[in-house]
Amino acid sequence: MTISKLRQQLVAGETTPAAILNNLAGEISARDGQTGAYLSYNLEAALAEAANADLSLPLGGIPIAIKDNINVLGQPCTCGSKFLENFISPYDATVIRKLRAAGAIPFGRMNQDEFAMGSSTENSALQITRNPHDPARIPGGSSGGSAAAVADFTAIASLGSDTGGSIRQPASHCGVVGLKPSYGRVSRYGLVAFASSLDQIGPLTQTVEDAALILQAIAGGDPLDSTCLDAPVPDYLSGLNDGVKGLKLGIPKEYFGEGIDPGVRKNVEAAIQALAAQGAEIVPISLPHTEHAVATYYVIAPAEASSNLSRFDGIRYGHRAANPSDILDLYQKSREQGFGPEVKRRIILGTYVLSSGYYDAYYTRAQKVRTLIRRDFETAFAQVDAILSPVAPSPARKIGGSSNDPLHEYLSDIFTLAANLAGIPGISIPCGTTDFDGGKNLPVGLQILAPHLGEAKLLRIAKAAEIKS
Ligand code: GLN
């Protein structure tokens, strides 16, 4: 069920918010034992909210599942980490406040890679999440629970966060829609920070229309997040069906080179042809600094993470080690015990690139290359309205397949990282399925990138490219 269909039924009196929630709870008990998308949910609390739901509001009565790094008052917020396993949020994130103001009901805490570091959800310290299309495979990550639940029909829609692809890549692997808004479009107040110059919150949904509905509710300025822009929020729904006739769509040659699975290439090229058949002009372009995106991101993101995660000291939040000999020992033991291996790797990497003597060689240089990557997009968007590419080089791999090889895992982020480095919006929409590495009919995603604050056009192109099932 989509948000838009359920809204019609709710308004027509054919269903109730409580019936929707009870239904979801039934689906969760039927299937989530296998999928493992939910870390927790509180049916009673949601039903209490449902009793007061205002059905005249745009998302009135619609439950939305929330990634476990977005604070919801009174609910757990583990970030997939032992460190925060017993943490209960003392406040609502701005996106939650806005969802509630639009009538929605936050329901469910979704599994993720620890502190959103990863692309498979295997870095969760709490549980495994499986891909509903093939339980032997990863759902992608880091918003793996948010994507898997929508694909498994145990959630109608969800929120995720995207620092380098964490909404788009799991959406691609699970065959759902995932939208990363422009930097500054959506407030991050109440999102547990990973890399503050890259993080964005966005929706994962069954349809492009549903993604537009949620973006409409959560976008807009916020005095509590100084990076959030006060720019007016356009109507994302009114032009959704305007089509792509006359639009110029860029195909970056660097995104179609070696290393792409042939099934991914075939499906993405078919989606491009379908847009051409609807009247879009397909324009070959170049984003020459693409090859440096992985190296740049994996300096800047860990640098910011090492700073952001210093707040987890065993004193203010979460885990506190027992029997410390002194304060330094308390910090060290709490962090040693609370953080998993990937988080430690990132903190060590980030601390190294920020340390005196290495700062200029790594961090400053990465910032310079980041500017070059952003300029690549500015040059491209002087010629084209949007850019089309794959989301990931291959469909979902098997669980356990890459866990000992972080570098291979980092390289698979190649097509999604640049949008975060440049601050532009990106969407992943399903564009067919393919067989891969023994798996059958695995989803493939098409990525569409647009200029900063170009979400309306992005959604309109996505709507035209959406495969009607
Ligand atoms: N896979 C990337 C990383 O591990 C991106 C994660 C994200 O977007 N949160 O950092």
Side-chain angles (χ1 to χ4, degrees), residues 224-304:
L224 298 173
D225 174 359
S226 62
T227 67
C228 188
L229 297 170
D230 231 345
V233 179
D235 183 340
Y236 293 118
L237 288 138
S238 60
L240 208 52
N241 292 312
D242 287 356
V244 290
K245 200 163 189 309
L247 292 186
K248 292 197 171 92
L249 304 178
I251 312 298
K253 64 169 188 277
E254 294 81 3
Y255 284 56
F256 290 83
E258 271 170 49
I260 300 181
D261 174 74
V264 169
R265 183 192 296 273
K266 194 167 145 264
N267 280 293
V268 170
E269 284 176 351
I272 295 168
Q273 286 320 310
L275 287 166
Q278 294 180 54
E281 185 186 334
I282 305 301
V283 184
I285 60 163
S286 173
L287 298 167
H289 296 93
T290 299
E291 62 172 315
H292 303 300
V294 174
T296 304
Y297 173 91
Y298 279 98
V299 170
I300 292 173
E304 295 183 14

Coordinates of all heavy atoms in Angstrom, one line a residue, residues 224-304:
L224 N 16.9 25.6 14.7 CA 17.7 24.7 15.5 C 18.8 24.1 14.7 O 19.6 23.3 15.3 CB 16.8 23.6 16.1 CG 15.7 24.2 17.1 CD1 14.8 23.0 17.5 CD2 16.3 24.8 18.3
D225 N 18.8 24.2 13.4 CA 19.9 23.7 12.5 C 20.4 24.8 11.6 O 19.8 25.2 10.7 CB 19.4 22.5 11.7 CG 20.5 22.0 10.7 OD1 21.6 22.6 10.7 OD2 20.2 21.0 10.0
S226 N 21.6 25.4 12.0 CA 22.1 26.6 11.3 C 22.4 26.3 9.8 O 22.6 27.2 9.0 CB 23.2 27.2 12.0 OG 24.3 26.3 12.0
T227 N 22.6 25.0 9.5 CA 22.9 24.6 8.1 C 21.7 24.4 7.2 O 21.7 24.2 6.0 CB 23.7 23.3 8.0 OG1 22.9 22.2 8.4 CG2 25.0 23.4 8.9
C228 N 20.5 24.5 7.9 CA 19.3 24.3 7.2 C 18.8 25.6 6.5 O 18.7 26.6 7.2 CB 18.2 23.8 8.2 SG 16.7 23.2 7.4
L229 N 18.5 25.5 5.2 CA 18.2 26.8 4.5 C 16.7 27.2 4.7 O 15.8 26.4 4.7 CB 18.4 26.5 3.0 CG 19.9 26.2 2.6 CD1 20.0 25.8 1.2 CD2 20.7 27.5 2.9
D230 N 16.6 28.5 4.7 CA 15.2 29.1 4.8 C 14.5 29.2 3.5 O 13.5 29.8 3.4 CB 15.4 30.5 5.5 CG 14.4 30.6 6.7 OD1 13.5 29.7 6.7 OD2 14.6 31.5 7.5
A231 N 15.2 28.7 2.4 CA 14.6 28.9 1.0 C 13.2 28.3 1.0 O 12.9 27.3 1.7 CB 15.5 28.1 0.1
P232 N 12.3 29.0 0.2 CA 10.9 28.6 0.2 C 10.8 27.1 -0.3 O 11.6 26.7 -1.1 CB 10.3 29.5 -0.9 CG 11.4 30.4 -1.4 CD 12.6 30.2 -0.6
V233 N 9.8 26.4 0.2 CA 9.6 25.0 -0.2 C 8.6 25.0 -1.3 O 7.4 25.4 -1.1 CB 9.1 24.2 1.0 CG1 8.9 22.7 0.5 CG2 10.1 24.2 2.1
P234 N 9.0 24.6 -2.5 CA 8.0 24.5 -3.6 C 7.0 23.4 -3.4 O 7.2 22.6 -2.6 CB 8.9 24.3 -4.9 CG 10.2 23.7 -4.4 CD 10.3 24.1 -2.9
D235 N 6.0 23.5 -4.3 CA 5.0 22.4 -4.2 C 5.6 21.2 -5.1 O 5.7 21.3 -6.3 CB 3.7 22.9 -4.9 CG 2.6 21.8 -4.8 OD1 2.9 20.6 -4.7 OD2 1.4 22.2 -4.9
Y236 N 5.9 20.1 -4.4 CA 6.6 19.0 -5.1 C 5.6 18.1 -5.8 O 6.0 17.2 -6.6 CB 7.4 18.2 -4.1 CG 8.6 18.9 -3.5 CD1 8.7 19.2 -2.1 CD2 9.6 19.4 -4.3 CE1 9.7 19.9 -1.6 CE2 10.7 20.1 -3.8 CZ 10.7 20.4 -2.4 OH 11.8 21.1 -1.9
L237 N 4.3 18.3 -5.6 CA 3.4 17.4 -6.2 C 2.7 17.9 -7.5 O 2.4 17.2 -8.4 CB 2.3 17.0 -5.2 CG 2.9 16.1 -4.1 CD1 2.4 16.5 -2.7 CD2 2.6 14.7 -4.4
S238 N 2.6 19.3 -7.5 CA 1.8 19.8 -8.6 C 2.4 19.5 -10.0 O 1.7 19.3 -11.0 CB 1.6 21.3 -8.4 OG 2.8 22.0 -8.4
G239 N 3.8 19.5 -10.1 CA 4.3 19.3 -11.4 C 4.8 17.9 -11.7 O 5.5 17.6 -12.7
L240 N 4.4 17.0 -10.8 CA 5.0 15.7 -10.8 C 4.7 14.9 -12.1 O 5.6 14.1 -12.6 CB 4.4 14.9 -9.6 CG 5.2 13.8 -9.0 CD1 6.6 14.2 -8.6 CD2 4.4 13.2 -7.8
N241 N 3.6 15.2 -12.7 CA 3.3 14.4 -14.0 C 3.6 15.2 -15.2 O 3.1 14.9 -16.3 CB 1.8 14.0 -13.9 CG 1.6 13.0 -12.8 OD1 2.3 12.0 -12.7 ND2 0.6 13.3 -12.0
D242 N 4.4 16.2 -15.1 CA 4.7 17.1 -16.3 C 5.6 16.4 -17.4 O 5.8 16.9 -18.4 CB 5.3 18.4 -15.9 CG 4.3 19.3 -15.2 OD1 3.1 18.9 -15.2 OD2 4.6 20.4 -14.8
G243 N 6.2 15.3 -17.0 CA 7.0 14.5 -18.0 C 8.3 15.1 -18.3 O 8.8 16.1 -17.7
V244 N 9.1 14.5 -19.2 CA 10.5 14.9 -19.5 C 10.7 15.5 -20.9 O 11.8 15.7 -21.3 CB 11.4 13.7 -19.3 CG1 11.5 13.3 -17.8 CG2 11.0 12.5 -20.2
K245 N 9.6 15.7 -21.6 CA 9.7 16.2 -22.9 C 10.5 17.5 -22.9 O 10.2 18.4 -22.2 CB 8.3 16.5 -23.5 CG 8.3 16.6 -25.0 CD 6.8 16.4 -25.5 CE 6.7 16.2 -26.9 NZ 7.1 16.9 -27.9
G246 N 11.6 17.5 -23.8 CA 12.4 18.7 -23.9 C 13.5 18.9 -22.8 O 14.3 19.8 -22.9
L247 N 13.5 18.0 -21.8 CA 14.5 18.1 -20.8 C 15.8 17.5 -21.3 O 15.8 16.5 -22.1 CB 14.1 17.4 -19.5 CG 13.0 18.1 -18.7 CD1 12.8 17.3 -17.4 CD2 13.2 19.5 -18.4
K248 N 16.9 18.0 -20.9 CA 18.2 17.5 -21.3 C 18.8 16.6 -20.1 O 18.9 17.1 -19.0 CB 19.2 18.6 -21.5 CG 18.9 19.4 -22.8 CD 20.1 20.2 -23.2 CE 20.0 20.8 -24.6 NZ 19.5 22.2 -24.5
L249 N 19.0 15.4 -20.4 CA 19.5 14.4 -19.3 C 20.9 14.0 -19.6 O 21.2 13.4 -20.7 CB 18.6 13.2 -19.2 CG 17.1 13.6 -19.0 CD1 16.2 12.3 -18.9 CD2 16.9 14.4 -17.7
G250 N 21.9 14.3 -18.7 CA 23.3 14.0 -18.9 C 23.6 12.6 -18.5 O 23.2 12.1 -17.5
I251 N 24.5 12.0 -19.4 CA 25.0 10.6 -19.1 C 26.5 10.7 -18.9 O 27.2 10.9 -19.8 CB 24.7 9.6 -20.2 CG1 23.2 9.7 -20.7 CG2 25.1 8.2 -19.8 CD1 22.2 9.4 -19.6
P252 N 27.0 10.7 -17.6 CA 28.4 10.9 -17.4 C 29.2 9.6 -17.7 O 28.9 8.6 -17.2 CB 28.5 11.2 -15.9 CG 27.2 10.6 -15.3 CD 26.2 10.5 -16.4
K253 N 30.2 9.8 -18.6 CA 30.9 8.6 -19.1 C 31.6 7.9 -18.0 O 31.8 6.7 -18.0 CB 31.8 9.0 -20.3 CG 33.0 9.9 -20.0 CD 33.9 9.9 -21.2 CE 35.2 10.7 -20.9 NZ 35.1 12.1 -21.1
E254 N 32.0 8.7 -17.0 CA 32.8 8.1 -15.8 C 31.9 7.1 -15.0 O 32.5 6.3 -14.2 CB 33.3 9.2 -14.9 CG 34.4 10.0 -15.6 CD 33.8 11.1 -16.5 OE1 32.6 11.3 -16.6 OE2 34.6 11.9 -17.1
Y255 N 30.6 7.2 -15.2 CA 29.7 6.3 -14.4 C 29.3 5.1 -15.1 O 28.5 4.3 -14.6 CB 28.5 7.1 -14.0 CG 28.6 8.1 -12.8 CD1 29.6 9.1 -12.9 CD2 27.9 8.0 -11.7 CE1 29.8 10.0 -11.9 CE2 28.0 8.9 -10.6 CZ 29.0 9.9 -10.7 OH 29.1 10.9 -9.7
F256 N 29.9 4.9 -16.3 CA 29.5 3.7 -17.1 C 30.7 2.9 -17.6 O 30.7 2.3 -18.6 CB 28.6 4.1 -18.3 CG 27.3 4.6 -17.9 CD1 27.0 5.9 -17.5 CD2 26.2 3.8 -17.9 CE1 25.8 6.4 -17.1 CE2 24.9 4.2 -17.5 CZ 24.7 5.5 -17.1
G257 N 31.8 3.1 -16.8 CA 33.1 2.4 -17.2 C 33.2 1.0 -16.8 O 32.2 0.3 -16.6
E258 N 34.4 0.6 -16.5 CA 34.6 -0.8 -16.1 C 34.1 -1.1 -14.7 O 34.0 -0.1 -13.9 CB 36.2 -1.1 -16.1 CG 36.7 -1.6 -17.4 CD 38.2 -1.6 -17.4 OE1 38.8 -2.1 -16.4 OE2 38.8 -1.0 -18.3
G259 N 33.8 -2.3 -14.4 CA 33.5 -2.7 -13.1 C 32.0 -2.7 -12.8 O 31.6 -3.0 -11.7
I260 N 31.2 -2.3 -13.8 CA 29.7 -2.3 -13.6 C 29.2 -3.7 -14.0 O 29.5 -4.1 -15.1 CB 29.0 -1.2 -14.4 CG1 29.6 0.1 -14.0 CG2 27.5 -1.3 -14.2 CD1 28.9 1.3 -14.7
D261 N 28.4 -4.2 -13.2 CA 27.8 -5.5 -13.5 C 26.9 -5.3 -14.8 O 26.2 -4.3 -15.0 CB 26.9 -5.9 -12.4 CG 26.1 -7.2 -12.7 OD1 26.7 -8.3 -12.7 OD2 24.9 -7.0 -13.0
P262 N 27.0 -6.3 -15.8 CA 26.3 -6.1 -17.0 C 24.8 -6.0 -16.9 O 24.1 -5.3 -17.6 CB 26.7 -7.4 -17.8 CG 27.6 -8.2 -17.0 CD 27.9 -7.5 -15.7
G263 N 24.3 -6.7 -15.9 CA 22.8 -6.6 -15.6 C 22.4 -5.2 -15.1 O 21.3 -4.7 -15.5
V264 N 23.2 -4.6 -14.3 CA 23.0 -3.2 -13.9 C 23.0 -2.3 -15.1 O 22.1 -1.5 -15.3 CB 24.0 -2.8 -12.8 CG1 23.9 -1.3 -12.5 CG2 23.8 -3.6 -11.5
R265 N 24.1 -2.4 -15.9 CA 24.2 -1.6 -17.1 C 23.0 -1.7 -18.0 O 22.4 -0.7 -18.4 CB 25.5 -2.0 -17.8 CG 25.8 -1.1 -19.0 CD 26.9 -1.7 -19.9 NE 28.2 -1.8 -19.2 CZ 29.1 -0.8 -19.1 NH1 28.9 0.3 -19.8 NH2 30.2 -1.0 -18.5
K266 N 22.6 -2.9 -18.2 CA 21.5 -3.2 -19.2 C 20.2 -2.5 -18.7 O 19.5 -1.8 -19.4 CB 21.2 -4.7 -19.3 CG 20.4 -5.1 -20.4 CD 20.5 -6.6 -20.6 CE 19.2 -7.2 -21.0 NZ 18.4 -7.8 -20.0
N267 N 19.9 -2.6 -17.4 CA 18.7 -2.1 -16.9 C 18.7 -0.5 -16.8 O 17.7 0.1 -17.1 CB 18.4 -2.6 -15.4 CG 17.8 -4.0 -15.4 OD1 16.6 -4.1 -15.9 ND2 18.5 -5.0 -15.0
V268 N 19.9 0.0 -16.5 CA 20.0 1.5 -16.4 C 19.9 2.0 -17.8 O 19.2 3.1 -18.1 CB 21.3 1.9 -15.7 CG1 21.6 3.4 -15.8 CG2 21.2 1.5 -14.2
E269 N 20.5 1.4 -18.8 CA 20.5 1.9 -20.2 C 19.0 1.8 -20.7 O 18.6 2.7 -21.4 CB 21.5 1.1 -21.0 CG 22.9 1.6 -20.8 CD 24.0 0.9 -21.5 OE1 23.7 -0.1 -22.2 OE2 25.1 1.4 -21.5
A270 N 18.3 0.8 -20.3 CA 16.9 0.6 -20.7 C 16.1 1.8 -20.2 O 15.2 2.3 -20.8 CB 16.3 -0.7 -20.3
A271 N 16.4 2.1 -18.9 CA 15.6 3.2 -18.3 C 15.9 4.6 -19.0 O 15.0 5.4 -19.2 CB 16.0 3.3 -16.8
I272 N 17.2 4.7 -19.4 CA 17.6 5.9 -20.1 C 16.8 6.0 -21.5 O 16.3 7.0 -21.9 CB 19.1 6.0 -20.3 CG1 19.8 6.1 -19.0 CG2 19.5 7.1 -21.3 CD1 21.3 5.9 -19.0
Q273 N 16.8 4.9 -22.2 CA 16.1 4.8 -23.4 C 14.6 5.1 -23.3 O 14.0 5.8 -24.1 CB 16.2 3.4 -24.1 CG 17.6 3.2 -24.7 CD 18.2 4.4 -25.4 OE1 17.5 5.0 -26.2 NE2 19.4 4.8 -25.1
A274 N 14.0 4.6 -22.2 CA 12.6 4.9 -21.9 C 12.3 6.4 -21.7 O 11.3 6.9 -22.2 CB 12.1 4.1 -20.7
L275 N 13.3 7.1 -21.1 CA 13.1 8.5 -20.9 C 13.3 9.2 -22.3 O 12.6 10.2 -22.6 CB 14.1 9.1 -19.9 CG 13.7 8.7 -18.5 CD1 14.9 8.9 -17.5 CD2 12.5 9.5 -18.0
A276 N 14.2 8.7 -23.1 CA 14.4 9.3 -24.4 C 13.1 9.1 -25.2 O 12.7 10.1 -26.0 CB 15.6 8.6 -25.1
A277 N 12.5 8.0 -25.1 CA 11.3 7.7 -25.9 C 10.2 8.7 -25.4 O 9.2 8.9 -26.2 CB 10.8 6.3 -25.7
Q278 N 10.2 9.2 -24.2 CA 9.2 10.2 -23.8 C 9.6 11.6 -24.1 O 9.0 12.5 -23.7 CB 9.1 10.1 -22.2 CG 8.5 8.7 -21.8 CD 8.3 8.7 -20.2 OE1 7.7 9.6 -19.7 NE2 8.9 7.7 -19.6
G279 N 10.7 11.8 -24.9 CA 11.0 13.1 -25.4 C 12.1 13.8 -24.7 O 12.4 15.0 -25.0
A280 N 12.8 13.1 -23.8 CA 14.0 13.7 -23.2 C 15.2 13.7 -24.2 O 15.3 12.7 -25.0 CB 14.4 13.0 -21.9
E281 N 16.1 14.7 -24.1 CA 17.2 14.7 -24.9 C 18.4 14.1 -24.1 O 18.7 14.6 -23.0 CB 17.6 16.1 -25.4 CG 18.7 16.2 -26.4 CD 19.1 17.6 -26.7 OE1 18.2 18.5 -26.6 OE2 20.3 17.8 -27.1
I282 N 19.0 13.0 -24.6 CA 20.1 12.4 -23.9 C 21.4 13.0 -24.3 O 21.8 13.0 -25.5 CB 20.1 10.9 -24.1 CG1 18.7 10.3 -23.8 CG2 21.2 10.2 -23.3 CD1 18.3 10.5 -22.3
V283 N 22.2 13.5 -23.3 CA 23.4 14.3 -23.7 C 24.6 13.6 -23.0 O 24.7 13.5 -21.7 CB 23.3 15.7 -23.1 CG1 24.5 16.5 -23.5 CG2 22.0 16.4 -23.6
P284 N 25.6 13.2 -23.7 CA 26.8 12.6 -23.1 C 27.6 13.8 -22.4 O 27.8 14.8 -22.9 CB 27.7 12.1 -24.2 CG 26.8 12.2 -25.5 CD 25.7 13.1 -25.2
I285 N 28.0 13.5 -21.1 CA 28.7 14.5 -20.4 C 29.9 13.9 -19.7 O 30.1 12.7 -19.7 CB 27.8 15.3 -19.3 CG1 27.3 14.2 -18.3 CG2 26.7 16.1 -19.9 CD1 26.8 14.9 -17.0
S286 N 30.7 14.7 -19.0 CA 31.9 14.2 -18.3 C 31.9 14.8 -16.9 O 31.6 16.0 -16.7 CB 33.2 14.5 -19.0 OG 34.3 14.2 -18.2
L287 N 32.2 14.0 -15.9 CA 32.4 14.5 -14.5 C 33.8 14.0 -14.2 O 34.0 13.0 -13.6 CB 31.4 13.9 -13.6 CG 29.9 14.3 -13.8 CD1 29.0 13.4 -13.0 CD2 29.7 15.8 -13.5
P288 N 34.9 14.8 -14.7 CA 36.2 14.2 -14.7 C 36.8 13.9 -13.4 O 37.7 13.1 -13.3 CB 37.0 15.4 -15.4 CG 36.2 16.6 -15.4 CD 34.7 16.1 -15.3
H289 N 36.3 14.5 -12.3 CA 37.0 14.2 -11.0 C 36.3 13.0 -10.2 O 36.6 12.8 -9.1 CB 37.0 15.4 -10.1 CG 37.9 16.5 -10.7 ND1 37.4 17.5 -11.5 CD2 39.2 16.7 -10.6 CE1 38.4 18.3 -11.9 NE2 39.5 17.8 -11.4
T290 N 35.4 12.3 -10.9 CA 34.7 11.2 -10.3 C 35.7 10.2 -9.6 O 35.4 9.7 -8.6 CB 33.8 10.5 -11.3 OG1 32.9 11.4 -11.8 CG2 33.1 9.3 -10.8
E291 N 36.8 9.9 -10.3 CA 37.7 8.9 -9.8 C 38.3 9.2 -8.4 O 38.8 8.4 -7.7 CB 38.8 8.6 -10.8 CG 39.7 9.8 -11.1 CD 40.9 9.4 -11.9 OE1 41.5 8.4 -11.6 OE2 41.2 10.2 -12.8
H292 N 38.2 10.5 -8.0 CA 38.7 10.9 -6.7 C 37.7 11.0 -5.6 O 38.0 11.3 -4.5 CB 39.4 12.3 -6.8 CG 40.5 12.3 -7.9 ND1 41.6 11.5 -7.8 CD2 40.6 13.0 -9.0 CE1 42.4 11.7 -8.9 NE2 41.8 12.6 -9.6
A293 N 36.4 10.6 -6.0 CA 35.3 10.8 -5.0 C 35.5 9.9 -3.8 O 35.3 10.3 -2.7 CB 34.0 10.6 -5.7
V294 N 35.9 8.7 -4.0 CA 36.0 7.7 -2.9 C 37.1 8.2 -1.9 O 36.9 8.2 -0.7 CB 36.2 6.3 -3.4 CG1 36.5 5.3 -2.2 CG2 35.0 5.8 -4.2
A295 N 38.2 8.5 -2.5 CA 39.4 8.9 -1.6 C 39.0 10.2 -0.9 O 39.3 10.3 0.3 CB 40.6 9.1 -2.5
T296 N 38.3 11.1 -1.5 CA 38.0 12.4 -0.9 C 37.0 12.2 0.2 O 37.2 12.7 1.3 CB 37.4 13.3 -2.0 OG1 38.3 13.5 -3.0 CG2 37.0 14.7 -1.4
Y297 N 35.9 11.4 -0.1 CA 34.9 11.1 0.9 C 35.5 10.4 2.1 O 35.2 10.7 3.3 CB 33.8 10.3 0.3 CG 32.8 9.8 1.3 CD1 31.6 10.6 1.6 CD2 32.9 8.6 2.0 CE1 30.7 10.1 2.5 CE2 32.0 8.2 2.9 CZ 30.9 8.9 3.2 OH 30.0 8.5 4.1
Y298 N 36.4 9.4 1.9 CA 36.9 8.6 3.0 C 38.1 9.3 3.7 O 38.7 8.7 4.6 CB 37.2 7.2 2.5 CG 35.9 6.3 2.5 CD1 35.2 6.1 1.3 CD2 35.4 5.8 3.7 CE1 34.0 5.4 1.3 CE2 34.2 5.1 3.7 CZ 33.5 4.9 2.5 OH 32.3 4.2 2.5
V299 N 38.3 10.5 3.4 CA 39.1 11.4 4.3 C 38.1 12.3 5.1 O 38.2 12.4 6.3 CB 40.1 12.2 3.5 CG1 40.8 13.3 4.4 CG2 41.2 11.3 2.9
I300 N 37.2 13.0 4.3 CA 36.4 14.0 5.0 C 35.4 13.4 5.9 O 35.2 13.9 7.1 CB 35.6 14.8 3.9 CG1 36.7 15.7 3.1 CG2 34.6 15.7 4.5 CD1 36.1 16.4 1.9
A301 N 34.7 12.3 5.5 CA 33.7 11.7 6.4 C 34.3 11.2 7.7 O 33.8 11.5 8.8 CB 32.9 10.6 5.6
P302 N 35.4 10.4 7.7 CA 36.0 10.0 8.9 C 36.5 11.1 9.8 O 36.4 11.1 11.0 CB 37.1 9.0 8.5 CG 36.7 8.6 7.1 CD 36.0 9.7 6.5
A303 N 37.0 12.2 9.1 CA 37.5 13.3 9.9 C 36.4 13.9 10.7 O 36.5 14.1 11.9 CB 38.1 14.4 8.9
E304 N 35.2 14.2 10.0 CA 34.1 14.8 10.7 C 33.5 13.8 11.8 O 33.1 14.2 12.9 CB 33.0 15.2 9.7 CG 33.5 16.3 8.8 CD 32.5 16.8 7.9 OE1 31.3 16.5 8.0 OE2 32.9 17.5 6.9

